[in-house]
Short mmCIF file of all heavy atoms in Angstrom, two decimals:
data_model
loop_
_atom_site.label_atom_id
_atom_site.label_comp_id
_atom_site.label_asym_id
_atom_site.label_seq_id
_atom_site.Cartn_x
_atom_site.Cartn_y
_atom_site.Cartn_z
N TYR A 70 35.78 116.61 207.55
CA TYR A 70 37.05 117.01 206.80
C TYR A 70 36.73 117.89 205.52
O TYR A 70 37.68 118.15 204.88
CB TYR A 70 37.79 115.75 206.39
CG TYR A 70 38.16 114.85 207.63
CD1 TYR A 70 37.53 113.72 207.89
CD2 TYR A 70 39.14 115.30 208.55
CE1 TYR A 70 37.75 112.98 209.00
CE2 TYR A 70 39.39 114.54 209.64
CZ TYR A 70 38.80 113.35 209.88
OH TYR A 70 39.09 112.58 210.94
N SER A 71 35.47 118.09 205.33
CA SER A 71 35.08 118.79 204.00
C SER A 71 34.63 120.22 204.20
O SER A 71 33.97 120.49 205.36
CB SER A 71 33.93 118.00 203.42
OG SER A 71 34.35 116.58 203.29
N ASP A 72 34.89 120.99 203.23
CA ASP A 72 34.26 122.43 203.25
C ASP A 72 32.85 122.34 202.82
O ASP A 72 32.05 123.12 203.34
CB ASP A 72 35.08 123.28 202.37
CG ASP A 72 36.57 123.58 202.87
OD1 ASP A 72 36.75 123.47 204.02
OD2 ASP A 72 37.43 123.68 202.11
N LYS A 73 32.56 121.50 201.90
CA LYS A 73 31.17 121.48 201.28
C LYS A 73 30.81 120.03 200.99
O LYS A 73 31.73 119.21 200.88
CB LYS A 73 31.14 122.20 199.90
CG LYS A 73 31.45 123.66 199.96
CD LYS A 73 30.41 124.49 200.66
CE LYS A 73 30.72 125.97 200.68
NZ LYS A 73 29.81 126.65 201.36
N VAL A 74 29.48 119.83 200.95
CA VAL A 74 29.01 118.46 200.64
C VAL A 74 28.03 118.53 199.51
O VAL A 74 27.11 119.45 199.50
CB VAL A 74 28.23 117.88 201.93
CG1 VAL A 74 27.59 116.49 201.57
CG2 VAL A 74 29.20 117.70 203.08
N ILE A 75 28.21 117.68 198.54
CA ILE A 75 27.36 117.53 197.38
C ILE A 75 26.76 116.17 197.35
O ILE A 75 27.55 115.19 197.27
CB ILE A 75 28.10 117.90 196.03
CG1 ILE A 75 28.78 119.23 196.06
CG2 ILE A 75 27.12 117.74 194.85
CD1 ILE A 75 29.63 119.57 194.86
N ALA A 76 25.48 116.03 197.35
CA ALA A 76 24.85 114.69 197.23
C ALA A 76 24.61 114.34 195.79
O ALA A 76 24.37 115.18 194.90
CB ALA A 76 23.55 114.75 198.03
N VAL A 77 24.65 112.99 195.54
CA VAL A 77 24.29 112.58 194.21
C VAL A 77 23.20 111.55 194.33
O VAL A 77 23.17 110.62 195.02
CB VAL A 77 25.54 111.74 193.53
CG1 VAL A 77 25.16 111.29 192.20
CG2 VAL A 77 26.74 112.70 193.47
N PHE A 78 22.15 112.00 193.45
CA PHE A 78 20.87 111.10 193.49
C PHE A 78 20.64 110.45 192.24
O PHE A 78 21.04 110.98 191.16
CB PHE A 78 19.65 112.02 193.80
CG PHE A 78 19.79 112.77 195.11
CD1 PHE A 78 20.15 114.04 195.14
CD2 PHE A 78 19.35 112.19 196.33
CE1 PHE A 78 20.29 114.80 196.36
CE2 PHE A 78 19.44 112.85 197.50
CZ PHE A 78 19.83 114.11 197.53
N ASP A 79 20.19 109.27 192.19
CA ASP A 79 19.98 108.48 191.03
C ASP A 79 18.51 108.73 190.55
O ASP A 79 17.54 108.50 191.26
CB ASP A 79 20.09 106.95 191.26
CG ASP A 79 19.92 106.13 190.08
OD1 ASP A 79 19.53 106.55 189.01
OD2 ASP A 79 20.38 104.92 190.14
N ALA A 80 18.28 109.34 189.29
CA ALA A 80 16.97 109.71 188.82
C ALA A 80 16.19 108.47 188.60
O ALA A 80 14.94 108.51 188.54
CB ALA A 80 17.19 110.38 187.45
N GLU A 81 16.73 107.20 188.52
CA GLU A 81 16.01 106.05 188.27
C GLU A 81 15.49 105.38 189.55
O GLU A 81 14.78 104.33 189.57
CB GLU A 81 16.81 105.09 187.42
CG GLU A 81 17.11 105.62 186.00
CD GLU A 81 17.98 104.69 185.23
OE1 GLU A 81 18.54 103.62 185.75
OE2 GLU A 81 18.27 105.00 184.09
N SER A 82 15.94 105.94 190.69
CA SER A 82 15.50 105.34 191.93
C SER A 82 14.39 106.19 192.74
O SER A 82 14.51 107.37 192.75
CB SER A 82 16.66 105.26 192.91
OG SER A 82 17.70 104.35 192.42
N PRO A 83 13.43 105.51 193.25
CA PRO A 83 12.40 106.31 193.93
C PRO A 83 13.05 106.80 195.21
O PRO A 83 13.89 106.24 195.74
CB PRO A 83 11.28 105.29 194.15
CG PRO A 83 12.03 103.95 194.13
CD PRO A 83 13.18 104.18 193.28
N ILE A 84 12.41 107.88 195.76
CA ILE A 84 12.85 108.44 197.07
C ILE A 84 12.10 107.70 198.12
O ILE A 84 10.84 107.80 198.21
CB ILE A 84 12.64 109.97 197.09
CG1 ILE A 84 13.50 110.59 196.01
CG2 ILE A 84 12.90 110.48 198.51
CD1 ILE A 84 13.35 112.13 195.92
N ASN A 85 12.76 107.08 198.97
CA ASN A 85 12.12 106.37 200.09
C ASN A 85 12.50 107.14 201.38
O ASN A 85 12.97 108.14 201.45
CB ASN A 85 12.70 104.86 200.16
CG ASN A 85 14.19 104.81 200.36
OD1 ASN A 85 14.80 105.63 201.01
ND2 ASN A 85 14.77 103.82 199.82
N GLN A 86 11.97 106.54 202.55
CA GLN A 86 12.08 107.13 203.80
C GLN A 86 13.52 107.42 204.20
O GLN A 86 13.90 108.50 204.71
CB GLN A 86 11.38 106.49 204.95
CG GLN A 86 11.38 107.18 206.23
CD GLN A 86 10.66 108.61 206.09
OE1 GLN A 86 9.62 108.71 205.48
NE2 GLN A 86 11.37 109.65 206.66
N ALA A 87 14.46 106.43 203.91
CA ALA A 87 15.84 106.68 204.25
C ALA A 87 16.49 107.77 203.51
O ALA A 87 17.30 108.57 203.98
CB ALA A 87 16.68 105.29 204.02
N ASP A 88 16.06 107.98 202.16
CA ASP A 88 16.47 109.10 201.40
C ASP A 88 16.06 110.43 202.07
O ASP A 88 16.77 111.39 202.15
CB ASP A 88 15.99 109.00 199.94
CG ASP A 88 16.57 107.81 199.17
OD1 ASP A 88 17.71 107.44 199.42
OD2 ASP A 88 15.81 107.20 198.49
N LYS A 89 14.79 110.46 202.46
CA LYS A 89 14.23 111.66 203.05
C LYS A 89 15.00 112.01 204.28
O LYS A 89 15.26 113.26 204.63
CB LYS A 89 12.79 111.54 203.27
CG LYS A 89 11.86 111.40 202.08
CD LYS A 89 10.55 111.17 202.47
CE LYS A 89 9.58 111.02 201.11
NZ LYS A 89 8.20 110.69 201.41
N ASP A 90 15.28 110.97 205.15
CA ASP A 90 16.11 111.24 206.30
C ASP A 90 17.40 111.72 205.96
O ASP A 90 17.92 112.69 206.59
CB ASP A 90 16.13 109.94 207.17
CG ASP A 90 14.91 109.42 207.75
OD1 ASP A 90 13.88 110.21 207.73
OD2 ASP A 90 14.74 108.24 208.07
N SER A 91 18.16 111.19 204.95
CA SER A 91 19.41 111.74 204.59
C SER A 91 19.40 113.06 204.13
O SER A 91 20.32 113.93 204.36
CB SER A 91 20.05 110.66 203.52
OG SER A 91 20.26 109.44 204.03
N ILE A 92 18.35 113.38 203.30
CA ILE A 92 18.25 114.83 202.74
C ILE A 92 18.06 115.74 203.86
O ILE A 92 18.58 116.83 203.85
CB ILE A 92 17.06 114.84 201.71
CG1 ILE A 92 17.49 114.08 200.44
CG2 ILE A 92 16.82 116.27 201.38
CD1 ILE A 92 16.32 113.85 199.50
N GLN A 93 17.18 115.40 204.88
CA GLN A 93 17.06 116.20 206.10
C GLN A 93 18.34 116.45 206.75
O GLN A 93 18.61 117.51 207.21
CB GLN A 93 15.93 115.63 206.97
CG GLN A 93 15.74 116.49 208.22
CD GLN A 93 14.63 116.00 209.09
OE1 GLN A 93 13.94 115.00 208.69
NE2 GLN A 93 14.43 116.59 210.21
N PHE A 94 19.07 115.33 206.94
CA PHE A 94 20.43 115.40 207.67
C PHE A 94 21.28 116.41 206.86
O PHE A 94 21.91 117.26 207.55
CB PHE A 94 21.13 114.08 207.67
CG PHE A 94 22.50 114.09 208.10
CD1 PHE A 94 22.87 114.23 209.45
CD2 PHE A 94 23.58 113.97 207.17
CE1 PHE A 94 24.23 114.29 209.83
CE2 PHE A 94 24.86 114.02 207.55
CZ PHE A 94 25.12 114.20 208.87
N LEU A 95 21.32 116.34 205.54
CA LEU A 95 22.18 117.22 204.77
C LEU A 95 21.77 118.61 204.86
O LEU A 95 22.59 119.56 204.99
CB LEU A 95 22.25 116.73 203.37
CG LEU A 95 23.03 115.39 203.03
CD1 LEU A 95 22.65 114.96 201.64
CD2 LEU A 95 24.40 115.57 203.40
N THR A 96 20.42 118.87 204.79
CA THR A 96 20.01 120.28 204.89
C THR A 96 20.18 120.89 206.16
O THR A 96 20.17 122.21 206.31
CB THR A 96 18.55 120.40 204.35
OG1 THR A 96 17.72 119.54 205.22
CG2 THR A 96 18.37 119.98 202.92
N GLU A 97 20.36 120.07 207.21
CA GLU A 97 20.51 120.58 208.59
C GLU A 97 21.92 120.75 208.98
O GLU A 97 22.32 121.11 210.12
CB GLU A 97 19.75 119.78 209.63
CG GLU A 97 18.35 119.83 209.46
CD GLU A 97 17.55 118.85 210.30
OE1 GLU A 97 18.21 117.99 210.97
OE2 GLU A 97 16.28 118.89 210.34
N LEU A 98 22.80 120.48 208.00
CA LEU A 98 24.35 120.61 208.29
C LEU A 98 24.62 122.09 208.68
O LEU A 98 24.03 123.00 208.13
CB LEU A 98 25.21 120.21 207.16
CG LEU A 98 25.29 118.67 206.82
CD1 LEU A 98 26.06 118.51 205.46
CD2 LEU A 98 26.04 117.99 207.96
N GLU A 99 25.62 122.25 209.52
CA GLU A 99 25.92 123.50 210.05
C GLU A 99 26.36 124.46 208.97
O GLU A 99 27.05 124.17 208.01
CB GLU A 99 27.17 123.30 211.05
CG GLU A 99 27.54 124.55 211.79
CD GLU A 99 28.52 124.27 212.83
OE1 GLU A 99 28.37 123.30 213.67
OE2 GLU A 99 29.66 124.88 212.70
N GLY A 100 25.86 125.72 209.01
CA GLY A 100 26.30 126.80 208.06
C GLY A 100 25.81 126.44 206.70
O GLY A 100 24.66 125.94 206.49
N ASP A 101 26.60 126.69 205.72
CA ASP A 101 26.22 126.52 204.31
C ASP A 101 27.06 125.24 203.78
O ASP A 101 27.44 125.30 202.60
CB ASP A 101 26.43 127.70 203.45
CG ASP A 101 27.80 128.22 203.50
OD1 ASP A 101 28.64 127.72 204.27
OD2 ASP A 101 28.15 129.11 202.64
N LYS A 102 27.25 124.33 204.61
CA LYS A 102 28.20 123.22 204.23
C LYS A 102 27.54 122.38 203.14
O LYS A 102 28.18 121.79 202.26
CB LYS A 102 28.44 122.29 205.41
CG LYS A 102 29.59 121.24 205.19
CD LYS A 102 30.06 120.72 206.47
CE LYS A 102 31.56 120.76 206.39
NZ LYS A 102 32.18 120.35 207.52
N TYR A 103 26.19 122.21 203.13
CA TYR A 103 25.55 121.38 202.10
C TYR A 103 25.43 122.32 200.80
O TYR A 103 24.56 123.25 200.88
CB TYR A 103 24.18 120.92 202.58
CG TYR A 103 23.46 120.15 201.52
CD1 TYR A 103 23.93 119.02 200.90
CD2 TYR A 103 22.21 120.51 201.06
CE1 TYR A 103 23.34 118.27 199.95
CE2 TYR A 103 21.43 119.80 200.19
CZ TYR A 103 21.96 118.59 199.55
OH TYR A 103 21.32 117.94 198.65
N LEU A 104 26.01 121.94 199.77
CA LEU A 104 26.04 122.76 198.58
C LEU A 104 24.90 122.46 197.66
O LEU A 104 24.45 123.33 196.91
CB LEU A 104 27.43 122.55 197.80
CG LEU A 104 27.73 123.58 196.69
CD1 LEU A 104 27.76 124.98 197.21
CD2 LEU A 104 29.10 123.15 196.11
N GLY A 105 24.42 121.26 197.66
CA GLY A 105 23.34 120.90 196.89
C GLY A 105 23.39 119.46 196.33
O GLY A 105 24.21 118.68 196.82
N GLY A 106 22.80 119.18 195.24
CA GLY A 106 22.75 117.78 194.77
C GLY A 106 23.02 117.72 193.22
O GLY A 106 22.83 118.70 192.51
N ILE A 107 23.35 116.49 192.82
CA ILE A 107 23.46 116.22 191.34
C ILE A 107 22.41 115.11 191.10
O ILE A 107 22.41 114.09 191.79
CB ILE A 107 24.90 115.83 191.03
CG1 ILE A 107 25.86 116.91 191.26
CG2 ILE A 107 24.99 115.19 189.61
CD1 ILE A 107 27.20 116.54 191.20
N LEU A 108 21.71 115.26 190.03
CA LEU A 108 20.76 114.14 189.70
C LEU A 108 21.45 113.36 188.51
O LEU A 108 21.67 113.85 187.47
CB LEU A 108 19.48 114.76 189.19
CG LEU A 108 18.31 113.77 188.88
CD1 LEU A 108 18.04 112.96 190.26
CD2 LEU A 108 17.03 114.53 188.47
N ASN A 109 21.83 112.16 188.85
CA ASN A 109 22.52 111.30 187.91
C ASN A 109 21.51 110.29 187.18
O ASN A 109 20.38 110.11 187.58
CB ASN A 109 23.51 110.37 188.74
CG ASN A 109 24.60 109.74 187.93
OD1 ASN A 109 24.70 110.08 186.80
ND2 ASN A 109 25.32 108.98 188.64
N ASN A 110 22.02 109.79 185.91
CA ASN A 110 21.17 108.93 185.23
C ASN A 110 19.81 109.56 184.76
O ASN A 110 18.82 108.81 184.64
CB ASN A 110 20.85 107.57 185.97
CG ASN A 110 22.05 106.77 186.22
OD1 ASN A 110 22.90 106.65 185.28
ND2 ASN A 110 22.21 106.17 187.36
N VAL A 111 19.90 110.76 184.42
CA VAL A 111 18.68 111.41 183.81
C VAL A 111 18.58 111.07 182.34
O VAL A 111 19.49 111.14 181.54
CB VAL A 111 18.85 112.93 184.00
CG1 VAL A 111 17.65 113.70 183.25
CG2 VAL A 111 18.90 113.38 185.46
N ASP A 112 17.32 110.64 181.93
CA ASP A 112 17.12 110.44 180.51
C ASP A 112 16.80 111.77 179.78
O ASP A 112 15.82 112.42 180.18
CB ASP A 112 15.88 109.53 180.39
CG ASP A 112 15.58 108.97 179.02
OD1 ASP A 112 16.15 109.66 178.04
OD2 ASP A 112 14.88 108.05 178.84
N LEU A 113 17.65 112.10 178.95
CA LEU A 113 17.51 113.41 178.30
C LEU A 113 16.23 113.61 177.54
O LEU A 113 15.76 114.83 177.43
CB LEU A 113 18.72 113.60 177.35
CG LEU A 113 20.13 113.61 178.04
CD1 LEU A 113 21.23 113.74 176.95
CD2 LEU A 113 20.24 114.71 179.06
N LYS A 114 15.52 112.59 177.16
CA LYS A 114 14.21 112.74 176.55
C LYS A 114 13.23 113.36 177.43
O LYS A 114 12.31 113.92 177.03
CB LYS A 114 13.75 111.31 176.12
CG LYS A 114 14.49 110.58 175.07
CD LYS A 114 13.83 109.32 174.62
CE LYS A 114 13.88 108.38 175.83
NZ LYS A 114 13.61 106.91 175.51
#
């Protein structure tokens, strides 16, 4: 139902295999549907 998909990632969480699988799924979406990601909880320091 969406024109674009934006993923939100938590900067405080390590990337595990399930995350890698999800990222692969998103990057393989048809056309340019996957717009990119947002990194949340970033420590500005």
Side-chain angles (χ1 to χ4, degrees):
Y70 304 104
S71 304
D72 294 328
K73 301 287 181 184
V74 175
I75 301 172
V77 179
F78 301 96
D79 186 346
E81 296 176 354
S82 296
I84 296 176
N85 59 36
Q86 187 58 46
D88 296 322
K89 291 177 185 178
D90 294 342
S91 293
I92 292 167
Q93 180 177 352
F94 168 79
L95 291 169
T96 58
E97 292 174 354
L98 287 174
E99 191 174 302
D101 59 350
K102 192 166 227 175
Y103 179 58
L104 193 58
I107 296 172
L108 190 57
N109 197 8
N110 292 321
V111 174
D112 187 345
L113 297 180
K114 296 184 292 195

